[in-house]
Amino acid sequence: MSADAEILNVNGLESGYGAAMVLKDLDLSLKPGEVFTILGKNGMGKSTLLKTLMGFIRPKKGRVSFFGEGTESWSPDRIARSRVAYIPQEQALFQDLTVRDNLGLALMRDKDFQLRFDAIADHFPFLKERMGQKAGTLSGGEQKMLLVARALICRPRIILIDEITEGMQPSVIERLIGILRGEREKFGTAMLMVEQNVHFALAAADRYAVLDLGRIIEAGTTADVHAHARITSHLSV
């Protein structure tokens, strides 16, 4: 696959729940190593988009392809095995399992654990000391970081991230920006994030789009000096 090839391509996607259509004729693409953020207010279809891409919701119409293969009929576990990681917005940790056990669930072979963890350990120094601690006893910010670590430990080619900054302290958000930048620089990991935090989205991403009632109504590059003002105007309406 060439450097310019699209590793995620979405064409004419329509998806929703039962008869309720949430996403309407949506197109987007992602290149290797690119970070793309989708912004929008609550209820605009951001989480529905990621759940559809990950196979939890079947599209009503349109095409989704990862790495050149159509995945509309794939199960979530098959998509995950193709090295697509997903960080959902809702609680996704096993609270009564240890930090180590939660991380290990992302790997197909436990014998790979130490090698994979060593590759990301510098991003999460607190986790080294908490391996035997139950995930549910971590602070809210620490649990969010554990979710990120669990996604990174499988060395994905793409990460789908659903509003990870919700409820995070500003200092933790800044640390997260550094982690995601470092992961991309080291491994060329591509990311599709949905967010409401405009500062985080523009600091972490290359391109952005604004989703409104299931349609993209604004798109551009985060290098555009007017991007923040345009995005904010849409989110404040």
Side-chain angles (χ1 to χ4, degrees):
M1 181 176 290
S2 71
D4 293 329
E6 294 166 348
I7 58 174
L8 169 63
N9 206 307
V10 178
N11 298 109
L13 182 64
E14 297 188 3
S15 183
Y17 307 89
M21 202 65 64
V22 178
L23 302 176
K24 303 160 187 173
D25 196 26
L26 190 143
D27 297 329
L28 64 85
S29 62
L30 188 67
K31 293 180 180 179
E34 185 178 34
V35 180
F36 186 18
T37 186
I38 306 283
L39 298 111
K41 295 183 289 187
N42 287 333
M44 295 297 109
K46 303 189 304 298
S47 293
T48 299
L49 171 61
L50 296 192
K51 289 176 180 177
T52 302
L53 298 182
M54 201 63 204
F56 292 108
I57 301 173
R58 296 286 186 214
K60 307 290 185 182
K61 185 179 177 183
R63 178 175 173 81
V64 176
S65 62
F66 283 106
F67 319 115
E69 293 190 74
T71 60
E72 303 92 345
S73 63
W74 287 20
S75 63
D77 64 300
R78 185 177 177 186
I79 294 171
R81 287 197 304 272
S82 69
R83 292 175 61 195
V84 178
Y86 174 48
I87 304 176
Q89 182 181 22
E90 60 268 15
Q91 179 55 253
L93 294 174
F94 290 89
Q95 300 286 302
D96 291 331
L97 295 184
T98 65
V99 167
R100 202 274 187 207
D101 288 341
N102 271 276
L103 289 170
L105 290 171
L107 299 175
M108 295 184 66
R109 300 185 306 177
D110 192 68
K111 68 179 184 178
D112 295 334
F113 180 85
Q114 198 58 52
L115 180 64
R116 291 293 184 86
F117 181 73
D118 287 346
I120 65 169
D122 288 345
H123 292 320
F124 310 96
F126 77 95
L127 289 181
K128 298 178 187 178
E129 306 165 358
R130 310 283 190 91
M131 284 295 181
Q133 186 172 332
K134 288 186 177 181
T137 64
L138 299 176
S139 70
E142 289 170 340
Q143 290 192 38
K144 290 287 186 77
M145 284 299 194
L146 177 54
L147 284 172
V148 175
R150 191 173 67 183
L152 296 184
I153 201 170
C154 64
R155 199 167 297 169
R157 296 171 70 185
I158 299 178
I159 309 177
L160 309 179
I161 307 174
D162 194 350
E163 294 202 28
I164 189 65
T165 64
E166 185 178 18
M168 267 191 182
Q169 298 278 349
S171 60
V172 180
I173 291 174
E174 293 303 316
R175 185 150 52 96
L176 179 59
I177 291 171
I179 289 170
L180 296 181
R181 284 175 176 167
E183 186 69 11
R184 176 167 73 162
E185 290 169 6
K186 188 173 182 180
F187 296 113
T189 310
M191 304 175 200
L192 178 64
M193 312 185 303
V194 302
E195 265 297 333
Q196 290 193 68
N197 185 317
V198 181
H199 165 72
F200 170 74
L202 295 184
D206 305 301
R207 289 191 295 133
Y208 74 90
V210 178
L211 198 63
D212 183 70
L213 295 177
R215 299 181 188 274
I216 291 176
I217 59 169
E218 166 86 28
T221 67
T222 58
D224 184 345
V225 295
H226 302 295
H228 191 286
R230 286 203 296 267
I231 294 168
T232 303
S233 69
H234 290 299
L235 299 187
S236 61
V237 173

